[in-house]
Amino acid sequence: MKQKLLDFLSSYGLMIIGCLLIFIASASLKTNHYPLLKFPESAPITAPAQAREGGDITPKELPMSRPVVPLPKDKTEFTDNLTAVSVYAVDDFTDTVLYAKNSLAVRPLASITKLVSMLTLADLPMQWNSTTTIQGSDCDSSSHQVEVGEEYTLDDLWNVALVASSNGAVKALVRASGILPENFVILMNRKAQELGLTSATFAEPTGLDSANAASAEDTARLLREALKYEKIRQAAGTAEYYAQPLNEAKAKRMWSTNWLLTNWIPNKFDKENIAGKTGYIIDSGYNFAVYLEDEKKHAIRIVVLGADSNESRFSEARDLAEWIFGHYLWPDDEGYDELAE
């Protein structure tokens, strides 16, 4: 028994002595003799030149962060009477809100719906140079722009749908896509979700159903996304269009429903820098979503939902746009830096 105890103490004693030796050796190492044991060293901090020379650093010499959004010149408010139920205006580049009235209320969109329909069609493998003949199922009492039996290219119908807001042209395009109407509506709602239009819902592609609805804010977002697509932007900015039925000799002249483009509502905006979409059914009142630029290429989007007359939706959008351009400064405007300080 005594021998076993001695053997145990002997073996563990050696282990303890070894650990002590390792600890003493590691504690006595100097890192400057062993480069691999060195910690990373930061470069010496150098003072700015002015400080090294004994001067003071002023705030103007430091990098400054300036806003790039439009800023109001003063505290003046837009006081014109607006008949529209909902109005929303934003800077196109920064989405800065420039004016809002009841902008979150969900309203029937009427034919503004066609922007979602065309975006949905644009996602499909459509052959735009192919043709289709207008059928009875395409037409309704409002489809006077195209008539049963007329043959068009799909590209022609695209322009008729957006320039003249033709319900018949939209229905013919959906039919030509080969997708059942109910499945096309599913794609429309999916597209709205992809675009982040949280208030938007759609029941059919023309806008005749009041269940096609969204807020003014989401409508402004829809217009922004739609105008990114050149085929939509071009049609939405066309004042006058000639559609050619392939089985007829004479082309059909069609005017845009956007009266700012046709100048039927007088305005000072360059027609090349206007693009928009109208909508009307009884439940919606008169709707209008429009992109406008001033002479300095400052761009805004305005949405008017539920105006009380065809003319007022355009005049109210025009007057609000003129007020915004007159009462806001953009970063390239004289006097902007003083406002930003």
Side-chain angles (χ1 to χ4, degrees):
M1 184 69 177
K2 181 178 179 182
Q3 185 62 40
K4 289 182 178 180
L5 179 60
L6 290 173
D7 291 342
F8 173 81
L9 293 175
S10 175
S11 59
Y12 276 90
L14 290 173
M15 291 177 62
I16 293 170
I17 292 170
C19 291
L20 287 173
L21 290 173
I22 291 172
F23 174 77
I24 293 169
S26 61
S28 64
L29 286 176
K30 296 182 179 179
T31 57
N32 60 340
H33 292 164
Y34 299 88
L36 293 178
L37 297 178
K38 281 190 174 183
F39 291 102
E41 295 182 359
S42 62
I45 298 174
T46 304
Q50 187 176 1
R52 293 198 302 269
E53 295 167 4
D56 295 326
I57 302 176
T58 64
K60 290 184 179 180
E61 293 167 333
L62 299 175
M64 295 189 67
S65 175
R66 292 186 180 277
V68 294
V69 301
L71 296 174
K73 291 181 180 179
D74 49 46
K75 296 182 179 180
T76 304
E77 296 184 358
F78 182 72
T79 58
D80 289 13
N81 180 47
L82 296 175
T83 67
V85 176
S86 298
V87 182
Y88 191 62
V90 292
D91 173 53
D92 187 62
F93 181 65
T94 64
D95 272 337
T96 301
V97 179
L98 306 172
Y99 181 84
K101 171 189 174 183
N102 202 25
S103 61
L104 292 176
V106 177
R107 302 276 307 168
L109 291 178
S111 279
I112 294 177
T113 295
K114 291 181 173 70
L115 293 178
V116 176
S117 301
M118 307 318 265
L119 283 169
T120 303
L121 286 166
D123 287 341
L124 301 177
M126 304 284 287
Q127 298 298 318
W128 296 105
N129 60 351
S130 64
T131 65
T132 190
T133 301
I134 302 300
Q135 300 180 4
S137 59
D138 301 329
C139 297
D140 52 46
S141 59
S142 64
S143 300
H144 58 276
Q145 299 93 344
V146 296
E147 298 178 9
V148 175
E150 292 177 337
E151 183 182 4
Y152 292 94
T153 64
L154 301 190
D155 194 59
D156 225 2
L157 289 176
W158 173 283
N159 291 317
V160 173
L162 282 173
V163 176
S165 198
S166 168
N167 296 331
V170 172
K171 289 182 180 179
L173 286 171
V174 172
R175 174 176 52 76
S177 74
I179 296 178
L180 293 174
E182 57 269 28
N183 292 334
F184 190 83
V185 171
I186 292 174
L187 294 179
M188 289 176 64
N189 283 291
R190 186 177 299 167
K191 173 57 68 174
Q193 292 175 358
E194 290 174 2
L195 299 178
L197 311 181
T198 56
S199 70
T201 56
F202 298 97
E204 54 81 42
T206 69
L208 288 174
D209 194 319
S210 61
N212 297 329
S215 68
E217 290 192 15
D218 274 345
T219 304
R221 295 185 186 100
L222 169 59
L223 182 64
R224 177 192 63 200
E225 296 302 319
L227 294 182
K228 290 179 181 179
Y229 190 73
E230 183 58 32
K231 196 173 178 67
I232 292 178
R233 189 182 186 92
Q234 185 174 359
T238 298
E240 181 182 3
Y241 183 74
Y242 286 85
Q244 179 61 65
L246 299 177
N247 52 355
E248 295 185 9
K250 188 177 180 180
K252 303 179 75 170
R253 185 185 193 185
M254 301 182 187
W255 293 97
S256 173
T257 57
N258 178 353
W259 285 15
L260 294 185
L261 263 179
T262 60
N263 210 40
W264 296 342
I265 294 294
N267 66 91
K268 65 180 183 180
F269 298 106
D270 187 340
K271 304 306 176 287
E272 293 183 357
N273 299 318
I274 299 175
K277 187 71 197 73
T278 61
Y280 171 76
I281 56 176
I282 293 175
D283 288 343
S284 70
Y286 292 89
N287 297 341
F288 185 38
V290 66
Y291 167 99
L292 296 162
E293 292 181 9
D294 68 1
E295 66 279 359
K296 295 181 179 179
K297 302 299 183 182
H298 304 144
I300 62 176
R301 281 168 280 126
I302 294 179
V303 174
V304 173
L305 300 181
D308 66 0
S309 72
N310 184 27
E311 293 82 358
S312 63
R313 58 178 160 182
F314 303 116
S315 61
E316 290 174 17
R318 175 201 62 193
D319 295 347
L320 179 56
E322 290 179 350
W323 181 87
I324 288 171
F325 288 131
H327 286 80
Y328 277 83
L329 291 180
W330 272 256
D332 61 340
D333 284 327
E334 183 179 353
Y336 182 88
D337 287 344
E338 287 75 10
L339 286 177
E341 289 180 353

